[in-house]
Amino acid sequence: MDVLWVMPLLVLPLLMWTSSTFVFYFKKFFYVAWMMLLALVTIPLCILKSGGRDVENMRVIRLMVRHVKYLLGLRFEVSGWEHLQTEGPYVIISNHQSSLDVLGLMEILPDRCSTIAKKELIYAGTVGLICWLGGIIFINRKKTSDAKSVMADAAKAMLDDQIRLWVFPEGTRNQRGDLLPFKKGAFHLAVQAQVPIVPVVFSSYSNFYLRKEKQFKSGTIRLKILPKIETKGMTSEDVTSLCDKSFNVMRSAFLEISDSVTQSNGPLRH
Ligand SMILES: CCCCCC/C=C\CCCCCCCCCC(=O)SCCNC(=O)CCNC(=O)[C@H](O)C(C)(C)COP(=O)(O)OP(=O)(O)OC[C@H]1O[C@@H](n2cnc3c(N)ncnc32)[C@H](O)[C@@H]1OP(=O)(O)O
Ligand SMILES: CCCCCCCC/C=C\CCCCCCCC(=O)OC[C@@H](O)COP(=O)(O)O
């Protein structure tokens, strides 16, 4: 009899563990499947709207992605909207924690703004095709010289076609509770086009999404848009200091808006 009473005490934690792991895989699977399906529906809409690859398709994509946050139990708290009210082209830079960043990106994406992404994304089925239709610029991260020339073309296109570009200067996803050192491409891009940089910071996801621990709870993400940094008159000589300055303002903002969050792995050293 006694053993029977103990059973629930053993089984309950096991059930809770498996259910949170189950929720993690379910939500991840659902997210990918839903985005693939949305992309499938959005492809013809984009083709009807623009007849092919065009940054204007980002309006349709943005509209189609907006509801996905509710399905995953996520909310965004955006501050600094006024800093996006800048005429003409600019480069947005933000930290990059997960593919969930796309939801925040779509929350604040200004008109005529596309992104720079790794070229592997083009093979992601319907999502890859929608990225291509949305004018996303693909770079080969393993070939710096190729990436540089694609970005030089992008600087020209920003001015010729009046487009804005969103770049993830960490160059990869990172969930270590701090920012990775920035790569230089975004800053060369802004200096070459002589356009401002608008830094955007996503608060840490570690209070609701932990890849290693297989946790994916509901949560609120703070998105802070910071004042633009001008690059007029700068040359490639100024890129390193521009990069350092941007890193410092973004890192302080990241730590400030993530302050209530436990930094499980501690800060990274540079
Ligand atoms: C409805 C349907 C639903 C569908 C859902 C999806 C819908 C839409 C999708 C939209 C959203 C998509 C979101 C996509 C997210 C994808 C995110 C990514 O893929 S992140 C990864 C790719 N991005 C990046 O890598 C960008 C950042 N990287 C860089 O900028 C890098 O600098 C580089 C790749 C250009 C070069 O890399 P690397 O060699 O490793 O870097 P450095 O150390 O920075 O540079 C080496 C030296 O080269 C100089 N340099 C760099 N760039 C330039 C340049 N453009 N011109 C001249 N010189 C350059 C740099 O200064 C270094 O020299 P040094 O002497 O040391 O200064
Ligand atoms: C038939 C192929 C199926 C592939 C399925 C993948 C589909 C992805 C589906 C839904 C997610 C939608 C958001 C897509 C955009 C997110 C891209 C992204 O975050 O790429 C990661 C990249 O920044 C860094 O990669 P690394 O960690 O450096 O490597």
Side-chain angles (χ1 to χ4, degrees):
M1 258 325 247
D2 281 356
V3 174
L4 281 180
W5 281 107
V6 173
M7 284 292 276
L9 291 177
L10 293 173
V11 171
L12 213 64
L14 189 73
L15 267 177
M16 277 167 69
W17 178 82
T18 43
S19 76
S20 86
T21 308
F22 174 78
V23 167
F24 173 85
Y25 284 112
F26 180 81
K27 280 173 113 175
K28 281 202 78 156
F29 172 81
F30 173 78
Y31 177 54
V32 172
W34 191 248
M35 291 300 252
M36 299 284 274
L37 194 68
L38 277 178
L40 186 68
V41 175
T42 313
I43 290 165
L45 297 179
C46 288
I47 294 172
L48 280 175
K49 181 179 167 70
S50 326
R53 179 168 158 92
D54 191 330
V55 68
E56 285 297 319
N57 286 332
M58 274 299 184
R59 288 173 193 267
V60 187
I61 299 169
R62 186 175 62 189
L63 189 75
M64 296 295 282
V65 172
R66 281 286 177 94
H67 68 282
V68 178
K69 58 176 184 278
Y70 300 114
L71 305 179
L72 297 173
L74 300 177
R75 294 291 179 276
F76 289 94
E77 247 176 50
V78 182
S79 63
W81 276 113
E82 65 278 13
H83 303 307
L84 284 180
Q85 308 309 313
T86 298
E87 290 289 308
Y90 46 82
V91 173
I92 297 180
I93 53 173
S94 80
N95 54 324
H96 191 17
Q97 299 177 72
S98 143
S99 62
L100 293 172
D101 294 349
V102 170
L103 304 181
L105 180 146
M106 292 302 172
E107 202 65 17
I108 63 166
L109 193 78
D111 292 337
R112 298 196 66 74
C113 185
S114 198
T115 78
I116 291 200
K118 58 175 185 181
K119 71 165 179 30
E120 292 84 349
L121 200 58
I122 206 164
Y123 305 114
T126 52
V127 166
L129 186 52
I130 209 73
C131 287
W132 183 83
L133 286 168
I136 287 183
I137 295 170
F138 299 98
I139 56 166
N140 184 348
R141 294 181 294 182
K142 291 177 205 106
K143 280 198 169 169
T144 305
S145 57
D146 283 9
K148 281 194 220 175
S149 82
V150 170
M151 286 180 85
D153 291 346
K156 195 173 170 299
M158 284 183 86
L159 299 176
D160 291 350
D161 306 333
Q162 291 290 297
I163 59 170
R164 296 154 178 160
L165 281 175
W166 186 307
V167 187
F168 295 93
E170 292 169 291
T172 186
R173 282 168 295 181
N174 152 50
Q175 254 199 304
R176 293 193 227 173
D178 204 344
L179 306 188
L180 290 178
F182 286 176
K183 306 237 172 223
K184 303 265 179 67
F187 309 96
H188 281 288
L189 177 67
V191 166
Q192 281 165 15
Q194 295 281 291
V195 297
I197 290 175
V198 180
V200 169
V201 183
F202 290 79
S203 61
S204 172
Y205 291 178
S206 60
N207 56 340
F208 70 91
Y209 179 71
L210 292 167
R211 214 174 320 179
K212 263 200 223 124
E213 284 83 347
K214 310 272 174 278
Q215 258 187 38
F216 192 165
K217 298 185 281 193
S218 297
T220 299
I221 299 152
R222 296 194 189 119
L223 251 180
K224 188 166 181 174
I225 307 160
L226 299 172
K228 67 179 173 196
I229 302 171
E230 291 290 354
T231 67
K232 273 247 147 47
M234 286 189 181
T235 66
S236 58
E237 303 276 295
D238 302 304
V239 161
T240 303
S241 64
L242 180 65
C243 177
D244 290 347
K245 181 180 173 184
S246 310
F247 179 84
N248 290 332
V249 292
M250 284 175 68
R251 182 166 189 262
S252 332
F254 176 77
L255 296 176
E256 177 202 315
I257 62 177
S258 307
D259 58 2
S260 54
V261 167
T262 21
Q263 310 277 307
S264 53
N265 296 311
L268 258 187
R269 282 176 198 279
H270 298 281

